Amino acid sequence: MAQNISGNDTSACVELVGFSVVFVANSNNPSILNPDFLRYNEIVGADLQVQGNPITTPAFSQVMFEGGLSVKADPNRVIFEQIQDPLTIEGVMCPEIAQRYLQKVPHVPYNAVGINPKSCRISPAARPEKVSTALLDKGVWMSYKDVHPEIHLKTIYKYESRMIVLEIIEAKKRTKDNVEIPGILFQANIHRDIPAMNPQKRVEFVSTILASWKEDLSDFGALVAKFTFRNIDS
């Protein structure tokens, strides 16, 4: 069942459609990433089948699994991502998989971690909502020769221990009947820097962040709910 993560009781439902965890490091080794490595170290469960052809090179590696899950690596990042439409909170696997990877590869000097939820707002109204209406009701730039511009809004919230970067984009969702429905896509990067510390302390520090992913998701939903939209013709 789809979940309205915004907590906003409105006619438009905000559904979670993606989630990722990103480890940032300057000395990452992508060539270790392959299905056998992930299976042998019990990072990804044996019940998840590999999809497509894995890629394993010194520059980039990628293993894709059923359920929209993928694990990717380049020299600067390891990305644990899940894309589903909709994605239930109970179905989010990335934090747990990232935690198991961290335990097996603790020596890498990770310097930042990102918790990245993605949601889509679909309105039942016949007229599509527009990002521009969240900015100014009467902005003269909002229409030129009867054409409304597509708006890509990026907001940055800086806190003492983290930074939330929220992007809002006009998007289209394709139904199972292959019908495109206009909507608004919200995607956030909840970024935390990791101080220099020994591997054991670093694993403990990152583990605490991963354990609080539901709190981050709740903050994301509350923040999304603060953005209200009007139909373009209203």
Side-chain angles (χ1 to χ4, degrees):
M1 179 180 294
Q3 295 165 298
N4 189 345
I5 66 167
S6 72
N8 198 5
D9 187 16
T10 64
S11 59
C13 182
V14 180
E15 296 179 351
L16 187 67
V17 296
F19 195 96
S20 70
V21 174
V22 179
F23 292 157
V24 181
N26 295 327
S27 57
N28 192 47
N29 180 12
S31 63
I32 69 170
L33 186 64
N34 59 66
D36 291 338
F37 171 81
L38 296 172
R39 298 279 197 223
Y40 178 79
N41 289 286
E42 298 181 336
I43 296 170
V44 175
D47 56 323
L48 288 177
Q49 298 298 316
V50 175
Q51 300 287 303
N53 296 318
I55 301 172
T56 301
T57 72
F60 175 75
S61 294
Q62 173 180 276
V63 184
M64 302 181 67
F65 298 90
E66 63 181 352
L69 175 70
S70 65
V71 183
K72 309 171 191 175
D74 62 37
N76 299 309
R77 298 176 303 169
V78 184
I79 303 171
F80 310 87
E81 185 175 32
Q82 188 176 4
I83 301 295
Q84 272 188 13
D85 187 7
L87 174 61
T88 65
I89 295 176
E90 294 77 12
V92 172
M93 298 182 286
C94 298
E96 183 179 351
I97 292 172
Q99 174 64 31
R100 292 198 291 262
Y101 182 94
L102 178 69
Q103 296 289 340
K104 297 298 182 179
V105 192
H107 60 279
V108 175
Y110 306 108
N111 54 58
V113 58
I115 304 294
N116 309 309
K118 181 183 295 186
S119 66
C120 188
R121 172 187 167 103
I122 299 297
S123 174
R127 296 167 295 178
E129 297 172 319
K130 304 291 284 185
V131 170
S132 56
T133 62
L135 305 179
L136 292 172
D137 280 345
K138 297 181 180 180
V140 295
W141 55 272
M142 288 173 55
S143 176
Y144 180 67
K145 293 185 177 179
D146 298 324
V147 172
H148 294 266
E150 294 183 3
I151 306 298
H152 183 164
L153 175 62
K154 182 177 182 179
T155 60
I156 301 173
Y157 304 84
K158 295 183 178 180
Y159 302 93
E160 184 176 348
S161 62
R162 62 178 178 169
M163 178 172 65
I164 302 178
V165 179
L166 177 66
E167 295 182 272
I168 307 174
I169 308 166
E170 293 164 16
K172 292 183 179 179
K173 177 180 178 179
R174 189 175 295 276
T175 68
K176 294 180 180 180
D177 298 327
N178 207 32
V179 177
E180 286 189 343
I181 303 174
I184 304 292
L185 181 69
F186 300 86
Q187 52 189 22
N189 170 227
I190 303 174
H191 174 97
R192 292 178 176 88
D193 291 322
I194 303 173
M197 55 184 72
N198 65 54
Q200 180 180 350
K201 292 293 186 182
R202 184 168 55 241
V203 168
E204 293 174 358
F205 184 87
V206 176
S207 296
T208 300
I209 295 173
L210 295 175
S212 65
W213 71 269
K214 287 187 178 179
E215 286 81 358
D216 282 343
L217 182 60
S218 178
D219 287 342
F220 168 68
L223 182 57
V224 166
K226 292 185 176 295
F227 288 84
T228 59
F229 300 86
R230 292 185 301 104
N231 291 323
I232 189 171
D233 296 326
S234 62

